[in-house]
Amino acid sequence: MAASFESSSHRRNWLRGKREILNSNAEDIIATSADEIRRLRLYFVEIIHTLGRALRLRQRVIATAVVFFKRFYLIRSFGEFDPRVTAPTMLFVAAKVEETDCRAQKFLNAIKENQRLSALYKGTDLTIDKILHFEFEVLEALEFDLIVFHPYRPVCMILDEVKQNKMLQMAWSITNDSYRTDLCLEYSPAKIAIAVIYLSLVLQKCSQVDRERYRK
């Protein structure tokens, strides 16, 4: 694992400009529309969250899976790769990366037992073999860059530094919500953490003095 974000493959290979992100999935956009692709991305991020919660996975595992999903579709097409297969596979790979025990059969069981997921996967042929086979496609597309740095740690460190630990719950929630956007593809975890904490300060209606103290 990279000793720091600055020397990591995350920083070196997976931070993109907004224009490049908007111009990804060009083939899909021609077939549908940019807005439809944006909705599709967001929908399957929600599916990853739903499946992750059904499996009782840690939030970090879910966040890593979301980052993998977003990276994958920067360079692959929704038309070529069914996101109903991609989403659980990303969660499966993320669980391995984050050293969480979760067998493929548990994923299939969770999908069958969850009303929302079972409706989505009704009539599809999602099997253990399909997940295991697609795992290799995922690893190749991600170029085996599997270490992901998240804003959670810098959020905790900064709040502790400015003695605003009372805001941790709100900051954590906003950090979770940030994965529903493309911030993880555009900015470093430290920059996201700073934005999260400042937004938390504003939403908590902290005084201008507190906000200025934090900015310094």
Side-chain angles (χ1 to χ4, degrees), residues 152-165 189-191 193-195 197 214:
Y152 297 108
R153 186 181 180 204
V155 163
C156 294
M157 292 174 63
I158 295 171
L159 285 177
D160 185 61
E161 178 69 23
V162 299
K163 295 180 173 51
Q164 290 286 349
N165 289 305
K191 288 184 178 180
I194 291 169
I197 294 171
Y214 159 71

Side-chain angles (χ1 to χ4, degrees), residues 42 66 70 177-185:
L42 181 58
V66 170
K70 289 176 177 289
D177 287 342
S178 75
Y179 287 94
R180 292 172 170 83
T181 73
D182 289 330
L183 289 177
C184 62
L185 299 177

Side-chain angles (χ1 to χ4, degrees), residues 6-22:
E6 294 303 318
S7 62
S8 69
S9 60
H10 183 153
R11 176 183 179 275
R12 204 167 49 245
N13 301 333
W14 295 103
L15 291 186
R16 308 295 172 87
K18 184 177 290 292
R19 185 174 297 276
E20 183 178 355
I21 295 170
L22 291 175

Side-chain angles (χ1 to χ4, degrees), residues 70-102:
K70 289 176 177 289
R71 288 179 180 180
F72 184 84
Y73 282 111
L74 277 176
I75 53 180
R76 295 290 190 268
S77 163
F78 282 100
E80 186 177 0
F81 296 98
D82 188 343
R84 291 175 298 180
V85 179
T86 308
T89 304
M90 293 303 179
L91 206 50
F92 180 67
V93 173
K96 287 185 175 182
V97 170
E98 300 295 346
E99 300 181 345
T100 299
D101 180 29
C102 200

Side-chain angles (χ1 to χ4, degrees), residues 25-92:
N25 306 113
E27 295 178 6
D28 298 319
I29 291 172
I30 291 173
T32 56
S33 68
D35 189 57
E36 192 66 26
I37 296 303
R38 182 186 63 79
R39 290 170 185 252
L40 189 63
R41 284 200 196 101
L42 181 58
Y43 176 76
F44 276 97
V45 166
E46 292 296 333
I47 291 300
I48 289 172
H49 276 85
T50 300
L51 180 55
R53 288 192 296 268
L55 289 163
R56 300 183 184 277
L57 296 175
R58 291 178 295 124
Q59 182 59 40
R60 183 182 178 89
V61 177
I62 296 172
T64 296
V66 170
V67 173
F68 287 165
F69 183 87
K70 289 176 177 289
R71 288 179 180 180
F72 184 84
Y73 282 111
L74 277 176
I75 53 180
R76 295 290 190 268
S77 163
F78 282 100
E80 186 177 0
F81 296 98
D82 188 343
R84 291 175 298 180
V85 179
T86 308
T89 304
M90 293 303 179
L91 206 50
F92 180 67

Side-chain angles (χ1 to χ4, degrees), residues 9-10 14 64 68 71 93-94 96-98 135 138-140 142-149:
S9 60
H10 183 153
W14 295 103
T64 296
F68 287 165
R71 288 179 180 180
V93 173
K96 287 185 175 182
V97 170
E98 300 295 346
E135 180 182 6
V138 167
L139 295 174
E140 181 180 0
L142 299 179
E143 299 179 356
F144 294 88
D145 292 338
L146 302 178
I147 302 303
V148 178
F149 286 78

Side-chain angles (χ1 to χ4, degrees), residues 76-142:
R76 295 290 190 268
S77 163
F78 282 100
E80 186 177 0
F81 296 98
D82 188 343
R84 291 175 298 180
V85 179
T86 308
T89 304
M90 293 303 179
L91 206 50
F92 180 67
V93 173
K96 287 185 175 182
V97 170
E98 300 295 346
E99 300 181 345
T100 299
D101 180 29
C102 200
R103 290 167 293 175
Q105 184 59 53
K106 288 185 178 180
F107 285 71
L108 299 183
N109 293 342
I111 289 171
K112 291 177 183 177
E113 295 167 3
N114 182 281
Q115 185 176 1
R116 181 184 185 187
L117 295 174
S118 61
L120 174 64
Y121 284 88
K122 184 178 181 180
T124 63
D125 184 28
L126 184 64
T127 63
I128 293 176
D129 286 344
K130 186 169 285 189
I131 291 175
L132 296 178
H133 176 77
F134 195 64
E135 180 182 6
F136 291 101
E137 181 68 42
V138 167
L139 295 174
E140 181 180 0
L142 299 179

